[in-house]
Amino acid sequence: MMTSNLVESFRLAMQALAHNKMRSLLASLGVVIGISTVILMGWLLNGLNSVVNDTFNSIGVDMLYIDKWQWAGGMSWEDMRKRKDITEAQINDFMEYSSSAEAIIPQLDMWAGSLTYKGEKYSGLPFVGTTSKFAITSSGVIEEGRFFNEQEERVGSKVIIMGTKSFETVFPKHDGLGKIVTLNGKKFQVIGCLKKQGTFLFDMMDNRCYIPLKAYKNLYGSLGSYTIAIKAGSEDQMDLVRDQIRGNMRSARNIKPGAVEDFSINESKAFSSSIDSIRAVVGTVGYGITFLSFFVGIIGIMNIMFVTVTERTREIGIRKAVGAKRRSILFQFLFESSALCLVGALLSFVFCQILVYAASQILPKYIEALSFLKPYLPLNLLLIATVVSILVGVVAGLLPAIRASKLDPVDALRYE
């Protein structure tokens, strides 16, 4: 019996909407804005999460980096500057006792180097002196050519591997493999180009150029602080490796028990707080706009439903006079308001899909940072938007439906 009442209420609601097509459409437009905001915000946040994951992967989810500097901030630059450099002797002591890691890779960095090709100088390029083991890290994946091998590392061969952005800058035709470039007056052969690693949150890795550590020291000397890249082997090993290398580095730097460490262990998780702040700002603004949009939509549909109840007062009286129960009237108007919102959701799906496809095709051409935008809407967003639209319809139609269900049949039949 309950099921038949629900079916009958649904049928009458659909008939009422079909009878007032234009008004139903205009009422639904109020919801289109709110649902569209929900969908677009979810689409944007999904894209941002994808960028975050790509950023973590580019740094290496199983990588730790011992450095004089703390990458994600949290302490003053002046305090970090006062720290002593990490030296080659300390690295040798450190490596002797660090056995739990898959690979330990000492590095020297120059943040603003330059190279010359065919008489043209390219400045501001970061240069890294490293070992052949860097090739097994997530940052050492080769797109074209190869990485240097142990023999080339040992003798300090004059070979260079370039990041995607630096490679494209120097060789816009992508014909750089085998070409000779000049670093600090010395000729180096380009033997590889790394796979694109960067995102708009962290894109410096695509500018980097890598040469054997011995060749780096021959060019620029051993001055400056070393960085030690440590590949744990898996995320499960991270805690074990982190604890061991902290103790070994304290020992290598002669830090007494209880004294403050004068080095930092950096990893992808160190950026979580910064990224969470970005998410929070985007989410707060977006959900604030969404709330206002839904509030306006609810008020609009509620007004329409009150008008509908008033216009159909005699109809309600007739239905009650022939035996319709209060819940039947209540469900009819709730179905009607929910259907209005569902129509708004369907219109939003079409509008948003057109919008996101156009945005994903056009905006990245002008703003490279927006290349993470996807040309489609995730299915889970559409399901969430559908449920939300129905809930909005129930909320917007509840008071008018209660009013309709409480009408006295005698008074309703007299209504003109």
Side-chain angles (χ1 to χ4, degrees):
M1 185 68 177
M2 181 67 175
T3 303
S4 60
N5 285 338
L6 288 175
V7 172
E8 180 65 14
S9 298
F10 181 76
R11 185 184 66 78
L12 292 172
M14 293 301 101
Q15 286 181 349
L17 291 176
H19 184 68
N20 297 288
K21 295 184 180 67
M22 184 55 68
R23 187 167 72 184
S24 299
L25 179 62
L26 292 175
S28 297
L29 290 178
V31 180
V32 169
I33 298 173
I35 297 295
S36 296
T37 306
V38 169
I39 293 173
L40 293 176
M41 276 303 306
W43 172 67
L44 185 62
L45 288 174
N46 273 357
L48 184 59
N49 285 333
S50 176
V51 173
V52 169
N53 291 333
D54 290 344
T55 301
F56 285 172
N57 289 334
S58 70
I59 298 170
V61 293
D62 67 339
M63 294 295 297
L64 297 162
Y65 299 86
I66 299 178
D67 205 328
K68 172 181 177 178
W69 308 95
Q70 187 164 305
W71 295 357
M75 64 182 299
S76 71
W77 179 87
E78 184 63 26
D79 288 339
M80 287 189 287
R81 189 182 68 82
K82 291 177 181 177
R83 289 174 166 180
K84 293 180 180 180
D85 289 343
I86 297 174
T87 66
E88 186 172 356
Q90 291 171 357
I91 290 178
N92 292 334
D93 289 342
F94 171 82
M95 293 178 69
E96 185 176 351
Y97 299 103
S98 299
S99 58
S100 59
E102 179 182 342
I104 299 173
I105 308 161
Q107 298 178 178
L108 279 171
D109 304 86
M110 175 179 290
W111 293 102
S114 63
L115 65 79
T116 303
Y117 177 66
K118 288 187 175 180
E120 187 168 353
K121 187 175 183 180
Y122 299 87
S123 301
L125 297 176
F127 285 92
V128 181
T130 188
T131 70
S132 58
K133 289 183 179 179
F134 186 82
I136 68 173
T137 71
S138 57
S139 301
V141 179
I142 290 290
E143 180 75 18
E144 299 180 53
R146 64 179 180 85
F147 211 84
F148 55 80
N149 56 40
E150 290 184 19
Q151 173 64 18
E152 290 168 322
E153 169 198 331
R154 189 161 44 250
V155 301
S157 296
K158 295 182 178 63
V159 291
I160 182 171
I161 294 92
M162 303 178 71
T164 304
K165 190 175 290 186
S166 58
F167 188 82
E168 291 176 349
T169 300
V170 180
F171 307 106
K173 295 182 180 180
H174 288 266
D175 58 350
L177 292 183
K179 298 295 175 64
I180 302 298
V181 296
T182 303
L183 279 66
N184 204 23
K186 304 294 183 180
K187 293 182 179 180
F188 278 69
Q189 184 180 36
V190 179
I191 62 170
C193 172
L194 294 174
K195 186 176 180 180
K196 180 175 173 58
Q197 298 285 334
T199 67
F200 79 92
L201 293 176
F202 190 79
D203 65 351
M204 69 175 68
M205 304 189 77
D206 289 331
N207 279 324
R208 288 184 163 191
C209 298
Y210 298 85
I211 62 177
L213 183 57
K214 185 174 182 178
Y216 180 99
K217 290 190 287 186
N218 290 338
L219 274 180
Y220 306 112
S222 300
L223 297 178
S225 183
Y226 277 83
T227 297
I228 311 174
I230 297 144
K231 183 174 175 60
S234 70
E235 287 188 76
D236 295 337
Q237 286 282 101
M238 290 287 278
D239 291 338
L240 172 65
V241 173
R242 188 188 302 107
D243 290 341
Q244 186 185 70
I245 65 173
R246 173 173 280 111
N248 292 345
M249 198 62 196
R250 289 179 65 94
S251 176
R253 287 171 74 82
N254 295 315
I255 301 174
K256 296 179 180 179
V260 177
E261 293 170 358
D262 61 350
F263 62 91
S264 294
I265 299 177
N266 300 293
E267 57 184 300
S268 58
K269 290 181 181 178
F271 296 90
S272 295
S273 59
S274 300
I275 291 170
D276 287 343
S277 298
I278 296 174
R279 282 198 186 108
V281 171
V282 174
T284 301
V285 173
Y287 292 126
I289 295 172
T290 300
F291 174 78
L292 292 175
S293 301
F294 274 133
F295 183 75
V296 172
I298 287 172
I299 296 299
I301 289 182
M302 189 179 294
N303 285 335
I304 290 293
M305 293 306 300
F306 273 124
V307 171
T308 300
V309 170
T310 301
E311 288 178 345
R312 289 157 57 187
T313 300
R314 284 181 59 82
E315 175 193 325
I316 295 169
I318 293 171
R319 289 195 63 203
K320 283 197 167 187
V322 297
K325 296 183 178 180
R326 283 182 57 184
R327 67 170 176 266
S328 178
I329 304 297
L330 180 73
F331 283 136
Q332 178 185 342
F333 284 94
L334 285 179
F335 279 133
E336 195 168 323
S337 62
S338 296
L340 283 172
C341 290
L342 193 57
V343 169
L346 295 175
L347 292 173
S348 297
F349 297 166
V350 176
F351 167 73
C352 288
Q353 181 55 65
I354 294 172
L355 184 62
V356 301
Y357 181 80
S360 67
Q361 299 302 308
I362 297 171
L363 292 180
K365 294 179 180 178
Y366 301 97
I367 307 174
E368 186 179 352
L370 297 179
S371 59
F372 68 89
L373 297 177
K374 304 295 183 184
Y376 56 84
L377 295 172
L379 180 60
N380 66 316
L381 280 181
L382 301 183
L383 293 175
I384 291 171
T386 300
V387 172
V388 169
S389 68
I390 294 172
L391 291 176
V392 168
V394 171
V395 172
L398 188 59
L399 289 179
I402 291 173
R403 178 180 174 184
S405 67
K406 288 183 176 181
L407 285 175
D408 182 85
V410 176
D411 293 337
L413 287 169
R414 290 176 182 170
Y415 184 80
E416 294 294 338

